Amino acid sequence: MLFNLQIKRYGDYGDREVPGGEMPGQTNNKSEWPLWEVFIRSKQGLDHKHAGSLHAADAEMAIENARDVYTRRMEGVSIWVVESKYIHASNPDEAESLFDPANDKVYRHPTFYDLPDAVKYM
Amino acid sequence: MAVVNLEERFQEKIDAEVKIEPKDWMPDAYRKTLIRQISQHAHSEIVGMLPEGNWITRAPSLKRKAILMAKVQDEAGHGLYLYSAAETLGISRDEMYDQLHTGKAKYSSIFNYPTLTWADMGAIGWLVDGAAIMNQVPLCRTSYGPYARAMVRICKEESFHQRQGFETLLVLSRGSAEQKAMCQDAINRWWWPSLMMFGPPDAESPNTIQSMKWKIKRLSNDELRQKFIDMCAEQVKVLGMTLPDPDLKWNEERQHYDFGPINWNEFYEVLKGNGPCNKQRLDARRKAWDEGKWVRDAAEAFAQKREAVRKVA
């Protein structure tokens, strides 16, 4: 199936990705520190999960600020930060066509298969 | 697609309890309402640090000082969660700061009252944070995803604020005659302004209907206020103190407490800028912002310098 998928949006910020990695709306605020997305691993064995965002001048400051803003109560053992402008996101307007291929494949789920009760441990 | 269809689909999502996320289509008025509400909420957290910051250096013990510092730091964090949530709607952080510093944006009127004694730290925790929690718990289910997520985080932390406030008052209520009087005095001064925190009565709150239709708001001002009064009327008994309302009385029929008239003139005066501390609070904010400029600039310059060195290497 053909569809015109345009991956042209940042995560939750800015309208459209523009060449040069600049964020529209941010360009007028030269004095503003860039925005960072914060991901936190709450304990060993778990994935880093998006916690929120913050402004910081550089990555080191972003990590230190993330510690103060998002882990004041031992919520994390590890922090990732990435500048928001480097997050590429799918377009929610195109979600239907993007996720359509999985829509009609119920046979990918174990419950699709009807087995006799006699079969144990499966 | 026609705008009408988009609006209909948007409302269908809201009705079906599907959260709205930043890149989803939303009516302009929904976006504007949220920007106003979330940024005002953020400003309130930030300005809310000031009345309490007043007592950090004068807390009666090291324990109380540490607690107060943790609480004030939480308020800063809450402001930051909310500013980020507002930014997802397309307003920049600097724009919001500018609106606060120029007086264009409002913040909760409660923070324009002074903190005269140590007991005020207790009364703020119990009543002001208590009222805030009452407002905020339903906001955890608000229709805009980033706002709801910020509120979940905030509510988890806010409970400590209220409990430490009540405990502060509890200690005073079991103390000397002077401490008891101080406790009662703080309750007397903070009670009515706390009730005003829920906003004007429903009949005079024109935005409520639309906000409830969009599920930004889940309960009306009057509903929340009544719940808060019912709760406090019982809790104050544990303190052995009273609430400064001669009309406060249990109504068996309504299954709620009746209460006396609220002085809405005072509310509107404080809102207009004529409260006891409006000027002081905004001056403190502006001073902090202006005097912090060199720090922001230096950090920026340092980051650029390091980036340049990294590129060369």
mmCIF file of all heavy atoms in Angstrom, chain B residues 23 48 138 142 207 287:
data_model
loop_
_atom_site.group_PDB
_atom_site.id
_atom_site.type_symbol
_atom_site.label_atom_id
_atom_site.label_comp_id
_atom_site.label_asym_id
_atom_site.label_seq_id
_atom_site.Cartn_x
_atom_site.Cartn_y
_atom_site.Cartn_z
ATOM 1 N N LYS B 23 0.315 17.543 19.175
ATOM 2 C CA LYS B 23 0.246 17.712 17.731
ATOM 3 C C LYS B 23 -1.123 17.419 17.143
ATOM 4 O O LYS B 23 -1.319 17.476 15.939
ATOM 5 C CB LYS B 23 1.316 16.824 17.052
ATOM 6 C CG LYS B 23 2.729 17.329 17.297
ATOM 7 C CD LYS B 23 2.919 18.699 16.653
ATOM 8 C CE LYS B 23 3.823 19.623 17.403
ATOM 9 N NZ LYS B 23 5.206 19.531 17.130
ATOM 10 N N GLY B 48 4.416 31.569 44.321
ATOM 11 C CA GLY B 48 4.100 30.925 45.597
ATOM 12 C C GLY B 48 5.329 30.607 46.438
ATOM 13 O O GLY B 48 5.218 30.367 47.643
ATOM 14 N N PRO B 138 -8.734 16.743 40.416
ATOM 15 C CA PRO B 138 -9.519 16.517 39.197
ATOM 16 C C PRO B 138 -8.751 16.876 37.921
ATOM 17 O O PRO B 138 -9.051 16.346 36.854
ATOM 18 C CB PRO B 138 -10.738 17.433 39.349
ATOM 19 C CG PRO B 138 -10.708 17.968 40.732
ATOM 20 C CD PRO B 138 -9.361 17.749 41.296
ATOM 21 N N THR B 142 -7.636 15.905 33.369
ATOM 22 C CA THR B 142 -7.982 16.924 32.385
ATOM 23 C C THR B 142 -7.699 16.405 30.977
ATOM 24 O O THR B 142 -6.894 15.497 30.789
ATOM 25 C CB THR B 142 -7.203 18.227 32.688
ATOM 26 O OG1 THR B 142 -7.790 19.293 31.974
ATOM 27 C CG2 THR B 142 -5.738 18.113 32.322
ATOM 28 N N ASN B 207 -16.427 31.227 31.965
ATOM 29 C CA ASN B 207 -15.661 30.243 31.184
ATOM 30 C C ASN B 207 -15.908 28.803 31.617
ATOM 31 O O ASN B 207 -15.510 27.877 30.925
ATOM 32 C CB ASN B 207 -14.157 30.530 31.301
ATOM 33 C CG ASN B 207 -13.824 31.923 30.809
ATOM 34 O OD1 ASN B 207 -14.449 32.415 29.880
ATOM 35 N ND2 ASN B 207 -12.846 32.563 31.444
ATOM 36 N N LYS B 287 13.186 41.341 39.924
ATOM 37 C CA LYS B 287 14.546 41.499 40.426
ATOM 38 C C LYS B 287 15.316 40.195 40.213
ATOM 39 O O LYS B 287 16.445 40.208 39.717
ATOM 40 C CB LYS B 287 14.492 41.862 41.912
ATOM 41 C CG LYS B 287 15.828 42.140 42.562
ATOM 42 C CD LYS B 287 15.607 42.796 43.931
ATOM 43 C CE LYS B 287 16.914 43.001 44.680
ATOM 44 N NZ LYS B 287 17.322 41.851 45.496
#
